[in-house]
Amino acid sequence: MKQPIFSHSESGFTLVELLITMVISGIIMAGVYAAYTVNQKVYSEQQHVVYMQQNIRAALQMLGREIRMAGFDPTGDSDSGIIGALPGSVRFTMDLNEDGDVADTDEDVTYQLYVAGDGIQKLGRIDHTDAAPANQAVAEHIDAIEFYYTLVKKSGASVTVSQKLNPTAAELSEIQAVTMSILARAANPDQKFTNSMTYKTASGADWGPYNDNLRRRLLVTTVQCRNMGL
């Protein structure tokens, strides 16, 4: 009976080679995981910034649209206008349904900051025509807001323009523009970022530095009250 012939020319991996391969593979996988983690973190931070910017722009758009309607009084009977002008809040009326009064839905409105039950400071909108007026959130994570009023006073041929943070009751009818400064912040901190910036409002006031890990955005815009002073 013929004995089987075994060839010694075929060779496999030695234990040392397998260990080296495993170590190299581990290093590559660790690098891939580290790159993935960094990219995920950067993406998450960018998403927070995008949300913050969308949040503040949406708030300004809504606020600006309504302030432009302040004093809308097509019948001349509603006596609508800006009825409260403070640095941190503004209240105004408008006869939207043209029935000669400002007692209907959304015709008497206040915008101001408030802290909700969840502890988050928000820009709120109050409709005073509701049975139980209360703040309704327009934007979240708002650190500060400033309303800066432009007054135009006419006396014969003389016209005087001034800007004030706190007009008197007698000056409310002279308001013809409102400059809004709104400072929003990200919902979550970035531990690798320290915010030491100072933000300047339209009136020249400084907000900050906060010296924390929250990114912020300041937007300033002026809205012409096209129905005021007519």
Side-chain angles (χ1 to χ4, degrees), residues 60-72 92 94 180 221-228:
L60 279 173
Q61 184 176 13
M62 181 176 180
L63 184 50
R65 183 174 64 247
E66 288 210 305
I67 287 182
R68 285 189 188 93
M69 293 300 294
F72 181 65
F92 50 92
M94 44 199 167
M180 301 172 291
T221 187
T222 299
V223 177
Q224 300 295 325
C225 303
R226 57 192 181 191
N227 297 298
M228 297 289 293

Side-chain angles (χ1 to χ4, degrees), residues 114 122-125 135-140:
Y114 76 103
K122 306 177 182 183
L123 173 62
R125 178 185 185 274
N135 280 296
Q136 300 295 321
V138 174
E140 296 186 338

Side-chain angles (χ1 to χ4, degrees), residues 183-201:
L183 183 64
R185 66 173 178 82
N188 298 309
D190 178 358
Q191 299 301 332
K192 293 185 178 180
F193 169 78
T194 300
N195 191 335
S196 57
M197 295 178 61
T198 299
Y199 303 88
K200 192 169 290 293
T201 71

Side-chain angles (χ1 to χ4, degrees), residues 79-126:
D79 194 28
S80 59
I82 295 177
I83 60 176
L86 297 173
S89 67
V90 60
R91 181 177 178 179
F92 50 92
T93 56
M94 44 199 167
D95 184 13
L96 297 178
N97 63 356
E98 305 182 22
D99 65 349
D101 64 48
V102 290
D104 302 291
T105 302
D106 297 326
E107 292 188 340
D108 185 350
V109 175
T110 291
Y111 279 91
Q112 62 184 11
L113 293 186
Y114 76 103
V115 177
D118 55 10
I120 298 174
Q121 184 161 268
K122 306 177 182 183
L123 173 62
R125 178 185 185 274
I126 301 175

Side-chain angles (χ1 to χ4, degrees), residues 158-192:
S158 176
V159 177
T160 303
V161 180
S162 60
Q163 289 184 299
K164 293 187 177 183
L165 285 172
N166 197 355
T168 66
E171 294 172 326
L172 294 180
S173 61
E174 299 172 5
I175 297 174
Q176 297 209 1
V178 181
T179 301
M180 301 172 291
S181 304
I182 300 184
L183 183 64
R185 66 173 178 82
N188 298 309
D190 178 358
Q191 299 301 332
K192 293 185 178 180

